[in-house]
């Protein structure tokens, strides 16, 4: 599963392997950065190229993107909304299912509380993925949390169902 | 020139030919619609596919996109911001220069007043392009206005400079 925490200046990407109800394993994380001094078309183009490359590199079964909310700072929300469109498109364009989650859905899935703060989230992600140190920067932890949430919320369910069908039909995998 | 008035439900596209200070000619206009009942990834994907197709079909020298402003209704502005990212990307991805204009820049260029209302804008676009009837729906008129604004604001300047260079160097065109 590939999780994307959208941002125009810093966009977190987390790749996690796992099945619902089982421990997850971190595959990789990345932060795509674009220069705020650069023009918007170049920033969006760079984000598109990097996210498209990471999706092709990791070949996830599906993509989870954090849903943008309007109650945040209105200026930054515009850039975040634009980055989220590019993130959703990077998955949809290659035919992957793309699911969006609100920040509180992700927090609730990871910590049990929709009100968890950044430190609690980072600490839980570090524990859940059995990492030696917290992922840095925080954008990466958020993206990994999204990927874990997506796995636990059944993002892999259709894959499992398909595998179960194959077993029932006498296949080996 | 291809102008895009971004919207997730209705996205206007206007194609206009012309040079700064000269009358402009309408080539075509389109409104790309996506179903508000459809999931976001499918809507963004459809918008991307349609805009990419229209850019390829009309082969504009450059693309103008209306800049999204935060003072509008915060709920609709999110969808508009996402649509504008797709619009900017549709031009940037094929290597075209993409310019953004604020609504009042476009209004001022077309009517002489940054405060012009929709009816004044539609009426001026109809006159400037010498159309028999106003373009319908209004999203199309806004997109055509953007393309005209882009031409008048010198969107073609670099093309002209290149042509002048060729003439100076003894070329025929």
């Amino acid at each position: 599963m590939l999780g994307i925490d959208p941002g125009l200046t810093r966009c977190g990407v987390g790749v996690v392997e796992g099945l619902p109800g089982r421990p997850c394993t971190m595959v990789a994380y990345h932060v795509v950065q674009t220069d705020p001094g650069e023009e918007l078309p170049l920033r969006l183009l760079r984000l598109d190229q990097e996210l498209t490359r990471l999706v092709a590199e990791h070949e996830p079964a599906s993509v989870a993107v954090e849903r943008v909310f309007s109650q945040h700072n209105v200026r930054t929300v515009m850039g975040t909304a634009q980055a989220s469109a590019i993130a959703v498109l990077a998955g949809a364009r290659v035919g992957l299912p793309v699911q969006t989650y609100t920040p509180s859905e992700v927090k609730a899935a990871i910590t049990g509380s929709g009100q968890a703060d950044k430190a609690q989230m980072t600490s839980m992600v570090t524990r859940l993925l059995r990492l030696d140190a917290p992922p840095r920067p925080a954008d990466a932890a958020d993206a990994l949390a999204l990927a874990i949430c997506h796995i636990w919320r059944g993002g892999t369910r259709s894959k499992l169902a398909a595998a179960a069908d194959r077993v029932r039909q006498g296949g080996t995998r």
Side-chain angles (χ1 to χ4, degrees), chain A residues 57-69:
Chain A
E57 180 184 329
H58 293 293
E59 298 183 333
S62 75
V63 173
V65 179
E66 188 165 297
R67 200 175 303 164
V68 189
F69 261 116

Side-chain angles (χ1 to χ4, degrees), chain A residues 24-87:
Chain A
C24 296
T25 308
M26 187 179 81
V27 177
Y29 66 84
H30 312 265
V31 175
V32 179
Q33 297 188 260
T34 76
D35 180 355
E38 196 70 79
E39 287 189 8
L40 181 68
L42 289 176
R43 298 180 77 187
L44 294 177
L45 187 61
R46 174 163 156 71
L47 190 57
D48 177 59
Q49 286 170 340
E50 289 298 309
L51 293 180
T52 298
R53 187 181 64 74
L54 289 170
V55 167
E57 180 184 329
H58 293 293
E59 298 183 333
S62 75
V63 173
V65 179
E66 188 165 297
R67 200 175 303 164
V68 189
F69 261 116
S70 40
Q71 61 259 36
H72 299 340
N73 179 314
V74 179
R75 274 188 76 89
T76 60
V77 102
M78 307 282 299
T80 309
Q82 294 184 313
S84 82
I86 305 296

Side-chain angles (χ1 to χ4, degrees), chain A residues 1-2 13-18 24-30 57-59 129 131 144 147 151:
Chain A
M1 293 291 158
L2 190 142
V13 179
V15 190
V16 176
E17 247 173 22
C24 296
T25 308
M26 187 179 81
V27 177
Y29 66 84
H30 312 265
E57 180 184 329
H58 293 293
E59 298 183 333
L129 297 175
L131 306 177
L144 290 167
I151 289 168

